[in-house]
Amino acid sequence: MSDQTNKDVILKDFFKRNVLISELEEVLRFKPETLIGVDKVSSDQLHANGIKTVGELASLSVANLPEIKNVLPSMLQKWIKIAQLIQKNIQEQLRRHKKLLMIGLDNGGKTSILALIQEKFSIIKSLLPTRGVKREKLDFFGYPIISWDLGGQVQYREKLYFNRPELFFTEADIILYVVDSQEPDRFPESANYFREVLKVLKELKEKPAILVVLSKSDQDIRKTLQWQQNVSTVKNKLGKVADEFEQFTIDFCDTTIFDRHTIMQMFSIALKKVSDTSEIIENILEDFCSQVDAKASSLVSMDGLIFGSYTNTDTDEMLVNNTALLLQTLSNFYNSIGLIREKSIRLDLPLNGFTIRGEKLFEYSDLQIPVYLWALSEEPEKLEGKLDYFKEQLLPLINLFL
Ligand SMILES: Nc1nc2c(ncn2[C@@H]2O[C@H](COP(=O)(O)OP(=O)(O)OP(=O)(O)O)[C@@H](O)[C@H]2O)c(=O)[nH]1
Ligand SMILES: [Mg+2]
């Protein structure tokens, strides 16, 4: 995520100060005069020669410059190079997005899941069936994702998706196949649709990670024998469908919109299949830092393993990680001479105006090695109130990745 921020800054640096960049793709449609160093008159000249956008500027060749009145070739060459750099940067950023497909029968709960991930609680009550495909950019702890919500009504399933499958099913990283766990009558229909989807993926030679989501697994329903039977029927039916195709392995997960946690967990499991673990942990730590205004944080085990850290500056990273390792060594020594291990360790540096503080979170592996969350903060009291939030909300997600 810090990487992403850096890239945004670099991109902005090419444009005049009043230029607002909200959509990445839009940047290539900006007029050349939005670039620093390109004046309005030259931009109009470019326009008169058919070069109306930054994207069109980028498509020119430096080796084969067009002749443009009142624009020096050396200047034009420079602008083309800048436009090409911008284009490359945008393409790289877009490539970092993961494509997520939400597939399943109508009324299954796909759009509700997406709404909950984005904390759009209030729209859930008034959701209408999705018409066709709805594309959205979303952010999972800073992890950029483009979701494609494929409305499940029969007319779309039968007429739209399979007529031009390449438009919908290519280059997906993750498929969440949603099955309403409370509607056993529709399991056969859902299994058939699942088979169609896998068939088309096979034909397109696509191999996304697939997670079957048993939606509407509400707390009270979960306790019923009926629900448990439903779950095993779905696992059985869809598992058999997947077995018809060698190339797909599927996992199952259950969620309910009445407990956002189940959805975050499910989503983490899906992301884990396609992403670098440390990157996700870093994004979660970044989220924590911004909530408590900390300058750096890090997750370190007592045996010195750094699971991930987030900082804005290299110095802060060095400070937090080295302090963590040294204080943990000290704690190990105390422990070895019979002292009880403290749950919380802190080092105040009042002249420098900050505190580094470690909080024991949990123990990992059979050896029960303690893992501490470290944070460097100028306002350590803010950490206090949020530690429970970290333990309850973020830790279960992190645990999935360790
Ligand atoms: N009890 C319960 N109801 C849910 C849950 N998730 C969604 N629903 C309800 O199920 C209905 C359908 O939800 P949607 O999210 O619109 O379903 P969808 O899969 O997007 O449907 P289409 O857009 O037609 O494909 C809504 O009335 C939701 O409130 C859940 O976890 N539990
Ligand atoms: Mg929908």
Side-chain angles (χ1 to χ4, degrees):
M1 176 66 187
S2 50
D3 204 26
Q4 167 88 25
T5 322
N6 287 341
K7 278 184 182 148
D8 284 350
V9 172
I10 293 168
L11 202 58
K12 262 190 225 135
D13 285 349
F14 289 117
F15 290 91
K16 290 178 184 158
R17 210 182 281 175
N18 57 354
V19 175
L20 274 179
I21 301 176
S22 51
E23 277 283 322
L24 264 187
E25 293 100 322
E26 234 175 41
V27 170
L28 293 174
R29 295 194 290 272
F30 286 175
K31 288 181 182 169
E33 72 201 56
T34 52
L35 291 172
I36 282 178
V38 183
D39 56 285
K40 174 90 172 73
V41 179
S42 305
S43 186
D44 289 345
Q45 287 293 343
L46 291 172
H47 191 281
N49 285 271
I51 306 155
K52 303 186 193 92
T53 63
V54 172
E56 281 164 356
L57 197 56
S59 67
L60 298 178
S61 153
V62 203
N64 192 9
L65 281 182
E67 233 178 83
I68 293 174
K69 218 173 94 190
N70 297 334
V71 176
L72 282 174
S74 60
M75 284 312 248
L76 183 59
Q77 206 168 35
K78 192 171 137 195
W79 298 339
I80 294 173
K81 280 187 186 160
I82 289 174
Q84 288 174 345
L85 214 61
I86 291 170
Q87 189 179 45
K88 196 165 153 239
N89 183 302
I90 290 174
Q91 280 163 353
E92 270 168 17
Q93 287 197 49
L94 286 177
R95 253 199 301 276
R96 292 183 67 238
H97 281 89
K98 299 279 179 216
K99 178 174 169 183
L100 163 75
L101 285 181
M102 301 292 293
I103 308 181
L105 301 183
D106 51 294
N107 200 47
K110 300 179 290 298
T111 311
S112 307
I113 289 173
L114 288 175
L116 231 72
I117 289 170
Q118 300 169 84
E119 298 187 315
K120 293 180 180 166
F121 302 105
S122 55
I123 69 166
I124 287 182
K125 278 202 307 278
S126 49
L127 279 181
L128 294 172
T130 307
R131 286 158 49 187
V133 180
K134 190 160 167 248
R135 279 208 303 166
E136 245 177 336
K137 271 192 191 167
L138 54 98
D139 194 281
F140 187 76
F141 294 106
Y143 210 92
I145 291 165
I146 297 182
S147 63
W148 293 48
D149 182 4
L150 272 58
Q153 291 191 317
V154 68
Q155 67 264 35
Y156 307 123
R157 277 187 273 138
E158 287 185 354
K159 305 232 168 67
L160 186 60
Y161 309 137
F162 299 116
N163 283 346
R164 299 284 307 277
E166 69 283 1
L167 292 184
F168 305 97
F169 298 99
T170 47
E171 292 187 343
D173 298 287
I174 308 168
I175 290 184
L176 297 182
Y177 189 81
V178 179
V179 185
D180 180 342
S181 69
Q182 295 191 34
E183 278 229 273
D185 292 351
R186 297 192 76 188
F187 291 165
E189 186 186 0
S190 185
N192 286 339
Y193 184 32
F194 189 54
R195 182 179 293 107
E196 293 301 308
V197 171
L198 295 190
K199 215 192 279 176
V200 101
L201 288 171
K202 184 183 170 187
E203 278 160 20
L204 292 167
K205 299 195 168 52
E206 294 287 331
K207 215 171 169 272
I210 301 173
L211 192 63
V212 175
V213 181
L214 289 135
S215 65
K216 309 196 188 178
S217 300
D218 306 340
Q219 288 92 336
D220 52 340
I221 300 286
R222 299 173 66 89
K223 297 196 188 102
T224 63
L225 188 62
Q226 176 69 53
W227 180 82
Q228 284 156 17
Q229 277 169 355
N230 289 354
V231 171
S232 70
T233 310
V234 171
K235 287 187 174 170
N236 191 305
K237 271 191 182 310
L238 270 65
K240 276 194 181 138
V241 171
D243 287 345
E244 294 169 22
F245 304 83
E246 270 164 29
Q247 58 271 70
F248 302 112
T249 48
I250 56 172
D251 287 300
F252 296 88
C253 223
D254 43 71
T255 62
T256 167
I257 53 167
F258 301 109
D259 179 2
R260 182 166 181 261
H261 210 79
T262 59
I263 290 180
M264 300 302 269
Q265 278 232 357
M266 174 277 288
F267 214 69
S268 304
I269 291 171
L271 263 189
K272 190 182 171 185
K273 288 167 164 278
V274 296
S275 338
D276 174 14
T277 295
S278 64
E279 196 179 346
I280 305 230
I281 292 182
E282 276 160 30
N283 286 343
I284 293 176
L285 290 175
E286 179 181 6
D287 181 68
F288 180 66
C289 277
S290 77
Q291 295 228 12
V292 297
D293 283 333
K295 297 173 89 66
S297 81
S298 175
L299 204 63
V300 189
S301 74
M302 268 295 166
D303 55 356
L305 205 60
I306 299 174
F307 291 112
S309 54
Y310 169 75
T311 50
N312 272 322
T313 70
D314 291 347
T315 322
D316 286 347
E317 178 159 11
M318 218 163 62
L319 264 171
V320 81
N321 284 341
N322 286 334
T323 308
L325 295 173
L326 287 168
L327 289 183
Q328 288 186 176
T329 305
L330 191 63
S331 167
N332 283 339
F333 162 67
Y334 288 160
N335 198 232
S336 73
I337 58 166
L339 297 182
I340 299 166
R341 206 185 278 286
E342 299 288 342
K343 281 208 166 64
S344 168
I345 310 172
R346 82 180 260 173
L347 183 72
D348 290 318
L349 291 95
L351 295 180
N352 292 285
F354 66 84
T355 291
I356 295 178
R357 175 184 164 155
E359 183 77 18
K360 185 179 154 191
L361 287 185
F362 60 96
E363 288 163 349
Y364 92 107
S365 87
D366 298 342
L367 298 171
Q368 303 216 304
I369 298 166
V371 174
Y372 280 66
L373 169 70
W374 290 90
L376 186 163
S377 174
E378 289 168 350
E379 300 163 278
E381 63 286 353
K382 282 193 180 168
L383 289 171
E384 208 70 51
K386 284 284 182 181
L387 278 169
D388 283 344
Y389 161 79
F390 191 92
K391 284 184 188 166
E392 281 160 25
Q393 303 288 322
L394 304 181
L395 191 56
L397 304 185
I398 287 178
N399 271 329
L400 289 172
F401 293 97
L402 298 182

